[in-house]
Amino acid sequence: MTRHLSNRWLMAAVLLALPLVLQSFGNAWVRIADMSLLYVLLALGLNIVVGYAGLLDLGYVAFFAVGAYLYGLLASPHLVETFPAIAALFPSGLHLSLWLVLPLAAGLAGLFGVLLGAPTLKLRGDYLAIVTLGFGEIIRVFLNNLDQPVNITNGPKGIGPIDAVTVWGYPLSRRLDLGFIELPGVTLYYYLFLTLVVASVVVCHRLENSRIGRAWMAIREDEIAAKAMGLNTRNLKLMAFGMGATFGGMSGAMFAAFQGFISPESFSLMESVMIVAMVVLGGLGHLPGVILGAVLLAALPEALRYVAGPLQEMTDGRLDAAILRQLLIALAMVGVMLWRPRGLWPSPEHGQSLPQPGAKP
């Protein structure tokens, strides 16, 4: 027990000191850590749907987009410039605080999750994946075309500038001077995202060990048997879609505040595929594995810039660096799936038969 607590304290110290070490090499490395934490938050939400309930969702990026655009509309001058009625109500501009928009983003994304889950309750496997994929693409197409006849999303031009997060009146985009050390804005965002990730891990852990979490796992293993045992599989599936979508909405709002600009290009199908790959690569239904997979796939593409660049020079520029990075990531994932088919850090085996008294080991 003492060793377990000491390991937790050591991990906490490493996570707190990480941005301070990375910022000595440049803010770009801290920014990679920030984006990794955002992807961890997304992967934790998708793990509820895919890992716990066993529902393959390829349109999860839609909830990410809903949260991002909600914060972008409520914390930018776009609506004031587009609609005179709103400009009359808010002469100084519509700049709602993130702490007000965050629960709204979670609630709206959860509602979209239930709307997605309702018509897919009888679908399984590939059919469910195709429908959820189509839902994600529908949301992206809407965001790309809702600039006429009424300009709501500003189309492919995107929305900006978006207000930064403020904590006790202090914007996190501004450098903080503590006297003995200066913390840039990306480092302040790191600590904010880390706080949200820790809170999300606690929520997911409690869900996993709750009656609802065990019911989700029963549906994942055998839906017919779970229904025969009296579980309301309909409501449990809708709850999984809605609960997972709330994480996507919150991370989307954080993404918009962190980037200061959003456009439909940030919510493509490849983002959904990448988030699913994070969950599968790390280990379905296992929180440490999901976190590991999200960190690896979020940070690996940026780290591979230093590998793809020299390879491109060796071929006299014939191979594009971005394509090389995707090729290296794909090869790494294929290798992992061959050697670790259950993920890098799979969940422990459940349901093993207990040894009978007097039986030989």
Side-chain angles (χ1 to χ4, degrees), residues 277-284 286 288-294 296-297 332-333 335-337 339-347:
M278 291 173 182
V279 177
V280 175
L281 179 67
L284 282 170
H286 194 218
V290 170
I291 295 172
L292 175 64
L296 285 179
L297 286 187
M333 291 185 62
V336 169
M337 290 296 104
W339 294 102
R340 303 282 293 181
R342 296 181 61 240
L344 293 175
W345 196 344
S347 60

Side-chain angles (χ1 to χ4, degrees), residues 254-269:
M254 287 294 172
F255 174 77
F258 179 62
Q259 292 286 99
F261 173 81
I262 52 173
S263 66
E265 295 178 356
S266 301
F267 312 105
S268 63
L269 172 62

Side-chain angles (χ1 to χ4, degrees), residues 5 17 62 87-88 92 94 108 118 141 187 202 207 216 221 238 249 261 268 302 332 357:
L5 290 175
S92 58
L94 186 61
L108 184 61
V141 170
T187 301
V202 172
L207 274 174
W216 283 336
E221 298 300 330
L238 290 178
F261 173 81
S268 63
E302 302 301 326

Side-chain angles (χ1 to χ4, degrees), residues 1-345:
M1 183 67 178
T2 304
R3 183 179 179 182
H4 187 63
L5 290 175
S6 62
N7 290 339
R8 286 188 176 184
W9 282 111
L10 178 61
M11 183 181 297
V14 170
L15 290 175
L16 291 175
L18 180 62
L20 304 180
V21 176
L22 291 178
Q23 71 183 25
S24 62
F25 298 98
N27 289 340
W29 288 100
V30 187
R31 187 177 181 86
I32 293 174
D34 293 344
M35 294 304 299
S36 299
L37 289 176
L38 279 178
Y39 277 108
V40 167
L41 195 59
L42 283 170
L44 289 173
L46 185 60
N47 183 57
I48 294 176
V49 183
V50 179
Y52 292 165
L55 306 170
L56 184 55
D57 186 357
L58 291 182
Y60 189 73
V61 75
F63 312 124
F64 187 44
V66 168
Y69 266 85
L70 180 64
Y71 182 71
L73 291 173
L74 298 180
S76 73
H78 174 70
L79 289 180
V80 174
E81 295 174 353
T82 306
F83 300 98
I86 297 179
L89 292 174
F90 301 94
S92 58
L94 186 61
H95 303 281
L96 294 186
S97 170
L98 177 69
W99 310 113
L100 294 176
V101 180
L102 198 60
L104 294 177
L108 184 61
L111 177 61
F112 271 84
V114 173
L115 292 177
L116 167 64
T120 63
L121 291 175
K122 295 185 179 181
L123 300 178
R124 299 177 187 174
D126 299 339
Y127 300 101
L128 177 62
I130 292 172
V131 171
T132 54
L133 184 151
F135 177 79
E137 284 298 290
I138 288 172
I139 295 296
R140 186 186 62 82
V141 170
F142 266 98
L143 296 177
N144 218 5
N145 291 276
L146 281 181
D147 56 344
Q148 54 181 350
V150 179
N151 188 4
I152 299 176
T153 64
N154 208 28
K157 297 178 182 177
I159 296 177
I162 301 174
D163 298 341
V165 179
T166 57
V167 178
W168 293 314
Y170 190 89
L172 296 187
S173 58
R174 187 186 306 171
R175 182 181 294 269
L176 178 63
D177 188 1
L178 298 177
F180 60 94
I181 190 174
E182 288 189 356
L183 300 179
V186 287
T187 301
L188 298 178
Y189 271 108
Y190 171 89
Y191 289 119
L192 174 62
F193 294 163
L194 181 62
T195 303
L196 287 175
V197 167
V198 171
S200 300
V201 169
V202 172
V203 171
C204 290
H205 180 69
R206 297 297 297 271
L207 274 174
E208 181 180 357
N209 296 316
S210 67
R211 294 179 62 184
I212 296 175
R214 295 183 184 279
W216 283 336
M217 294 176 192
I219 294 174
R220 179 190 66 191
E221 298 300 330
D222 193 330
E223 183 178 347
I224 297 176
K227 193 170 185 178
M229 293 300 293
L231 293 179
N232 190 333
T233 57
R234 175 183 177 276
N235 291 348
L236 287 168
K237 283 184 177 182
L238 290 178
M239 189 180 298
F241 274 112
M243 184 67 70
T246 57
F247 285 81
M250 289 190 296
S251 57
M254 287 294 172
F255 174 77
F258 179 62
Q259 292 286 99
F261 173 81
I262 52 173
S263 66
E265 295 178 356
S266 301
F267 312 105
S268 63
L269 172 62
M270 286 307 300
E271 290 296 318
S272 277
V273 174
M274 184 66 74
I275 301 169
V276 173
M278 291 173 182
V279 177
V280 175
L281 179 67
L284 282 170
H286 194 218
L287 291 179
V290 170
I291 295 172
L292 175 64
V295 171
L296 285 179
L297 286 187
L300 191 62
E302 302 301 326
L304 285 179
R305 290 180 186 272
Y306 298 96
V307 178
L311 288 177
Q312 187 186 26
E313 293 177 1
M314 290 173 58
T315 58
D316 296 328
R318 293 187 181 93
L319 293 177
D320 183 54
I323 297 176
L324 267 176
R325 287 167 55 211
Q326 294 179 6
L327 175 63
L328 293 174
I329 292 173
L331 290 176
M333 291 185 62
V334 170
V336 169
M337 290 296 104
L338 288 175
W339 294 102
R340 303 282 293 181
R342 296 181 61 240
L344 293 175
W345 196 344

